[in-house]
Every structure is written in C-alpha cells, then in structure tokens.
Amino acid sequence: MDYLLQLAADPGAWVALVTLIAMEVVLGIDNLIFISILTNKLPAQYRTKARRIGIGLALIMRLALLGTIAVIVKLTTPVFEVFGQPFSWRDMILIAGGLFLVWKATTEIHHNVDPRTHAEDVRESKVTIGFAAAIAQILMLDIVFSIDSIITAVGMTEHIPIMIIAVIAAVTCMLLAADPLARFIEANPTVVMLALGFLIMIGMTLIAEGFGAHVPKGYVYAAMAFSTAIEALNMLARKRRSPEPHR
C-alpha cells in the first residue's frame, strides 16, 4: 500500500503512465484494424460478440503476460543463429505473426478485387467465416501484438501497476472504438482496401523486426496517417461529386 501511495505521489510516474497509455493505444490500432476486418465477415448478429470476445482475450493475454514479465524479458534472448543472425523466441513469434498478417490481408485483397462476374462466384468471394475460426485467428494475432505491447511497456517503465493501468486503459479504448470502426470500414469499400494495405505493411514490419531490422514505429504510423488523410480527401471529393437526391 505504501508503495502505491509513493507511486501516486511521484510526478515521474504520472508522466510515465500518460506516455505508456498513449503508446499502448497506438500499438492497439494494428490489432483493432485486424479484428474489425475479420469480424465483418461474420454474420451480422455475431459481429459485436466476436469483437468483444477478441478484445477481452487481448486484455486477458496482456494481463497474464504482465504476471510473467521475467519470462517475457527472456524471450528476447537469442536461442540460435542462422548465418550469423541471432533469433530469439520473440523474433520467431513476430515473423510467424507477420507472415500470417501478410497472408490474411493478401487473401482478403484477392477476394475484393476478384474480377469474376457470376453471382455465385461473387457470393463465394464474400462467404462468411465461422465464429470459432474468427476467434482463433483473433487469438493468434492477440498473442503477437500482446507480446510486442508488453515488451514495449517493460522498456518504458519498471512499475507493474503503471503497466496494468496503461494496458486496461488502452484495451478499454479499443473496446469503445471497435464497433464504430468496423461499421465505418464496412460502409466504405475503399477504406477496406486501405486497411488491408495497412495490415500488409504491419505484417512486413513484424517480419523485418523478427529478422533484426528495426523499423521506427513513427515512420509506420506517419505513413498510415498520411494515407488515411488522402483517403479522407478522396471520400470528401466523391461525396461532393455525387448528385444530390431530388426533393
């Protein structure tokens, strides 16, 4: 209890908390985009439930990992080398997660740009996935993003309570934003393609990180913000060009 009171009275702890919450929210964007795109392929009545379960699993995963920080830190220790390049468990997890993201996003892009015109083929290209399959895929990516999130948190502060509060705050933001973001993505087909492009970029970034090539997150999110701004201008232009309904 004294420890918590001392922490609450420390201005540096509050700065660390605000900074870490902001960082965790930004890192959660990747996870949220994937969850939104994936759950939009479910029947409408299951989408909200799947998002809440997926985000809830993300919270459980992060809190569980916080309880095993000693193990998480060891994940960065090299376990073998290939041609002089060391690989740790974290590297292998990032590479596997990146490959999965690239494969999933590429598959979804193919379904969106498939030029087949027969109605049956179109229905096949939009086939919904099973609820259990969606949760399994969300859980797989939750593991990758959770490990990256916790390692980032460990690098920013040594206080477990600060990490716990930051994780809960970030996941709460994800929960509040999940449904509006998913509806927005579903209502705007070009945004779907942009989001899938983001997933490919994020996947390639994870693979590069796994192979030891550090990619500053600021560059990645700056590119995402710039692309989003351009798409917003395109949407505004299309809206103004569209004829107004006759009254």
Side-chain angles (χ1 to χ4, degrees):
M1 189 65 178
D2 291 339
Y3 167 69
L4 294 177
L5 292 174
Q6 290 176 0
L7 200 59
D10 183 4
W14 286 98
V15 172
L17 176 61
V18 173
T19 304
L20 188 54
I21 289 175
M23 182 65 69
E24 292 292 328
V25 169
V26 171
L27 291 174
I29 292 173
D30 308 343
N31 205 354
L32 192 56
I33 290 174
F34 177 79
I35 290 174
S36 298
I37 291 177
L38 189 62
T39 54
N40 277 346
K41 296 182 72 65
L42 287 168
Q45 65 268 29
Y46 297 125
R47 293 175 184 174
T48 298
K49 180 180 179 181
R51 289 177 201 124
R52 289 175 179 172
I53 291 176
I55 295 172
L57 288 173
L59 176 60
I60 293 171
M61 194 80 61
R62 283 162 169 76
L63 294 179
L65 290 174
L66 280 173
T68 58
I69 282 184
V71 176
I72 296 300
V73 171
K74 290 180 181 178
L75 289 178
T76 60
T77 304
V79 293
F80 66 89
E81 291 187 5
V82 177
F83 299 115
Q85 172 64 43
F87 289 92
S88 64
W89 284 110
R90 174 180 178 269
D91 295 331
M92 290 183 282
I93 291 171
L94 290 180
I95 291 171
L99 289 172
F100 175 77
L101 266 185
V102 171
W103 168 77
K104 187 65 180 177
T106 303
T107 302
E108 293 298 323
I109 288 174
H110 172 72
H111 287 167
N112 279 276
V113 301
D114 193 336
R116 294 177 298 177
T117 56
H118 296 294
E120 183 178 352
D121 291 335
V122 171
R123 284 196 300 271
E124 289 177 359
S125 71
K126 295 182 179 179
V127 66
T128 57
I129 61 175
F131 186 85
I135 296 301
Q137 292 181 43
I138 291 172
L139 179 60
M140 184 184 303
L141 262 295
D142 276 347
I143 293 172
V144 176
F145 289 125
S146 293
I147 289 176
D148 201 31
S149 170
I150 297 306
I151 289 176
T152 299
V154 171
M156 293 184 65
T157 182
E158 59 182 14
H159 302 295
I160 301 296
I162 290 178
M163 297 182 198
I164 292 175
I165 294 173
V167 165
I168 292 175
V171 174
T172 300
C173 290
M174 289 173 60
L175 188 61
L176 294 174
D179 285 346
L181 177 62
R183 288 194 294 267
F184 179 75
I185 288 176
E186 184 183 22
N188 297 275
T190 55
V191 174
V192 174
M193 198 63 68
L194 181 65
L196 290 171
F198 288 164
L199 291 182
I200 290 180
M201 180 173 64
I202 293 164
M204 294 303 297
T205 300
L206 292 177
I207 294 171
E209 292 274 357
F211 279 97
H214 177 63
V215 181
K217 291 293 194 301
Y219 293 161
V220 176
Y221 293 119
M224 291 172 65
F226 179 77
S227 301
T228 301
I230 296 299
E231 179 59 24
L233 291 175
N234 283 330
M235 291 173 62
L236 180 62
R238 287 194 297 269
K239 182 178 179 180
R240 292 189 172 182
R241 283 198 301 265
S242 61
E244 294 184 2
H246 296 289
R247 297 180 179 179

